[in-house]
Every structure is written in C-alpha cells, then in structure tokens.
C-alpha cells in the first residue's frame, strides 16, 4: 500500500480513535502504535510493520487474500467440527507483534 493512502489513527487519540474504531466494521483501517509520532500529520520514515498496531476490521470481506483464507473449505469444515452451526464472520484483524515494537494492552473483553 502506498504510504500516502495509509489512513491511520493512534489509539491514544481517545475520542477520534473511538469514532474511527467504531465506524470500522465495514472498512479496512490501520491503527498505529501509541508511541508513533506523526510529522506534520504524516507517517514517520520507518517501516510500516514497526509502527502499525493492527489492521481491521472487514478484512474477511474486502481483502481477497483474507477472504480466500477464511472462506475456504478447510475453515468451513473446521468450524463444523468444533460444533458451530451456521457461523457468521463479523470481524477480522491482523495484529502486529513486532520484536521491538508494541504497547501493553490492558485486560479487556472483546464483544461483537
């Protein structure tokens, strides 16, 4: 992805991050590590993998690679084998766990 097209939000930007997060269910959005400092509103000159916290939430629907993975026969069969009846995909994300990056995530419960 071209860096100029990289729409981002830092988790520490409270209200804006909340709105950005809450309206992301039908989009692919990028969330930066708290420690990232934007330079005049632009991303720093560092690899995106070092400054990104996660990418979500409609990857399963909008990204062809994720869609092919999650909707393949093996995943469907696995879902059935663990007892799921008519499962629905409502969210997907890629969480970065870089060796020298990342911020602490406090205890929380994910709900959909």
């Amino acid at each position: 992805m071209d860096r100029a097209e990289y729409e981002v939000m830092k988790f520490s930007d409270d209200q804006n991050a909340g709105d950005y997060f809450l309206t992301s269910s039908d989009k692919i959005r990028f969330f930066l590590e708290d420690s990232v400092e934007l330079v005049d509103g632009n991303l720093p000159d560092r690899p995106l993998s070092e400054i990104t916290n996660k990418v979500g939430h409609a990857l399963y629907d909008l990204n062809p690679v994720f869609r092919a993975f999650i909707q393949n026969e093996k995943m469907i069969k696995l879902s059935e084998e663990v007892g799921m009846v008519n499962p629905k995909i409502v969210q997907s994300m890629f969480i970065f766990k870089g060796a020298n990056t990342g911020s602490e995530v406090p205890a929380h419960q994910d709900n959909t």
Side-chain angles (χ1 to χ4, degrees):
M1 172 174 261
D2 185 319
R3 292 175 79 85
E5 298 173 20
Y6 199 78
E7 181 184 4
V8 298
M9 180 61 63
K10 289 172 56 173
F11 278 113
S12 60
D13 292 342
D14 298 329
Q15 180 59 43
N16 290 332
D19 292 342
Y20 184 81
F21 179 82
L22 291 173
T23 60
S24 68
S25 65
D26 62 344
K27 300 168 186 65
I28 296 175
R29 290 202 165 157
F30 298 80
F31 298 84
L32 296 180
E33 289 292 345
D34 284 342
S35 62
V36 173
E37 295 296 328
L38 300 178
V39 180
D40 296 323
N42 297 309
L43 294 171
D45 188 25
R46 291 175 49 199
L48 296 176
S49 62
E50 289 182 7
I51 63 174
T52 303
N53 176 279
K54 77 174 184 172
V55 180
H57 288 101
L59 294 164
Y60 69 91
D61 188 37
L62 302 176
N63 181 280
V65 174
F66 267 73
R67 185 175 44 245
F69 171 75
I70 202 69
Q71 296 179 3
N72 77 54
E73 287 300 317
K74 289 181 182 179
M75 291 299 284
I76 294 168
K77 185 175 180 186
L78 176 64
S79 298
E80 293 168 351
E81 288 176 0
V82 298
M84 294 181 153
V85 178
N86 197 22
K88 302 288 184 212
I89 304 165
V90 296
Q91 174 177 284
S92 56
M93 68 183 83
F94 183 87
I95 300 175
F96 289 75
K97 298 291 184 184
N100 299 308
T101 60
S103 53
E104 182 178 349
V105 177
H108 69 285
Q109 179 176 340
D110 289 336
N111 292 307
T112 302

